[in-house]
Amino acid sequence: MPGTARTRSALAVFGLVAGLGLGGCGFESTPASGDDGPLVIGFVNGGSTQFHTCLRRAVVRTAKDNFAKIITGDSHQDATRELSNIEDMIARKVGVIIIQTVSTDALEKDTAKARSAHIPVFLTSVDADPSDILGAVVVDLKEVGELDAEWVADAAAGRQVQVGVVAGAPGAASDLLVGGFTKALPANAKVVADQPGMFDAAKAKSVAAGMIKAHPDLDYAFVANEEMAFGVRKAFDAAGATGVKIVTVNGTDEGLAALKDGRFAATVSNSAADMGQLAVENTIALLRDEKVDKIAKARIKLVTKDDADIAPVYCPTDE
């Protein structure tokens, strides 16, 4: 969706998408659903951060808009629980499973379990062997990190600067984000600290408090999502380090407000609304053998105070 006024509903332009040929009838289930009723979509979410919550809203709303039934499960950042959720979806005879994985290492078992039950899998955020999945909507997480690093490089303007990193949970998204960021930094920007905040604001605040105490001359901090970034900002401000500039990821309404008032310096918009909508839309199209990209890319965009008002909508307002 275009990045228009933020009062617009995130999915208002979706409705009944003509390209999917939606009339008044429901979609036929795949053989795994065990009946001739509407398509039953299982959505296995990775956690309960704001991104995960908004992604779930978009998936649920778009499925309903397309006359599909939807069953959701939360893996709470636990790979074992994720596999259990897959098994539950199989037992409930869904026609397709959309997975926001907790770890790329977990996907092999997940997809194998679904394949053994003849249920196709569609992935969000990451991809896998195309022969193992129906499709995916991916975020180029390396590029997300690179965009924040480019902002730091421009802001530093050749000065020797110190950079701290507050990562998420080890594995999957966080490693790709942090790797993209650190590798794209110029030689004059030195990473002096790199610790996981586990995608938790309280944990990130604690990490940041220790980081600024150990490195009082810190100039910039890369934080793997905005929820953590708010905790990091509080820790820095409490230590008197109000001048440390924070670059982060998501593009939420709260994050854009923080750009405008100076708490954050830059963020990379990675709209959960866009991703959830496209995941369901492409899942249905691929099941119907319609021509869409098997591996589609989600839109990302560096956002600063100057263009915060035209950033993409991040989260659906309702289901």
Side-chain angles (χ1 to χ4, degrees):
M1 293 182 297
T4 53
R6 300 190 60 80
T7 54
R8 177 188 296 183
S9 168
L11 299 174
V13 297
F14 182 66
L16 303 182
V17 180
L20 295 181
L22 301 183
C25 59
F27 290 96
E28 294 299 310
S29 300
T30 65
S33 64
D35 59 39
D36 293 324
L39 173 66
V40 181
I41 298 173
F43 175 53
V44 177
N45 207 353
S48 54
T49 68
Q50 186 171 17
F51 172 81
H52 292 100
T53 300
C54 292
L55 180 66
R56 184 187 63 80
R57 284 184 187 174
V59 166
V60 169
R61 180 171 173 172
T62 311
K64 290 179 178 178
D65 283 348
N66 283 278
F67 309 108
K69 294 182 180 179
I70 182 75
I71 300 171
T72 65
D74 188 343
S75 301
H76 299 285
Q77 299 291 354
D78 184 331
T80 300
R81 195 161 184 171
E82 180 169 287
L83 184 59
S84 177
N85 280 329
I86 299 294
E87 292 169 341
D88 179 60
M89 296 296 176
I90 293 169
R92 298 175 77 171
K93 301 185 183 300
V94 300
V96 62
I97 302 173
I98 298 174
I99 304 174
Q100 170 70 28
T101 189
V102 303
S103 166
T104 51
D105 293 334
L107 279 175
E108 186 175 351
K109 287 183 179 179
D110 294 341
T111 55
K113 180 69 72 171
R115 281 200 314 276
S116 69
H118 308 291
I119 298 177
V121 167
F122 190 98
L123 303 178
T124 55
S125 298
V126 299
D127 62 2
D129 185 336
S131 65
D132 290 341
I133 59 175
L134 176 67
V137 176
V138 302
V139 179
D140 190 335
L141 294 170
K142 178 172 175 283
E143 185 179 355
V144 170
E146 288 172 350
L147 288 173
D148 272 334
E150 288 168 7
W151 187 91
V152 170
D154 289 344
R159 294 180 294 112
Q160 296 294 319
V161 295
Q162 294 185 12
V163 181
V165 172
V166 179
S174 181
D175 290 354
L176 292 169
L177 276 171
V178 172
F181 175 78
T182 56
K183 290 176 183 176
L185 286 173
N188 57 293
K190 181 181 179 182
V191 175
V192 295
D194 182 347
Q195 294 177 260
M198 302 305 293
F199 292 120
D200 179 82
K203 173 67 174 176
K205 182 180 178 182
S206 176
V207 165
M211 186 177 293
I212 197 64
K213 184 176 181 180
H215 304 281
D217 294 328
L218 200 67
D219 299 290
Y220 300 95
F222 171 75
V223 187
N225 74 5
E226 288 171 0
E227 283 186 84
M228 292 195 298
F230 283 110
V232 171
R233 180 77 276 162
K234 289 177 181 178
F236 287 169
D237 290 352
T242 57
V244 180
K245 293 180 172 57
I246 293 174
V247 295
T248 184
V249 180
N250 282 152
T252 63
D253 287 345
E254 298 85 354
L256 297 177
L259 286 178
K260 293 177 184 180
D261 65 24
R263 283 174 290 167
F264 298 165
T267 193
V268 177
S269 171
N270 168 26
S271 170
D274 281 358
M275 177 173 290
Q277 175 184 333
L278 190 57
V280 174
E281 184 177 321
N282 281 13
T283 292
I284 294 171
L286 288 164
L287 287 172
R288 296 179 60 141
D289 294 323
E290 296 183 4
K291 189 174 182 180
V292 296
D293 290 335
K294 186 179 180 75
I295 310 298
K297 277 194 173 185
R299 173 181 54 174
I300 59 174
K301 181 181 185 294
L302 182 75
V303 185
T304 64
K305 179 179 181 178
D306 294 339
D307 54 1
D309 286 331
I310 57 171
V313 174
Y314 182 80
C315 191
T317 55
D318 55 50
E319 295 175 2

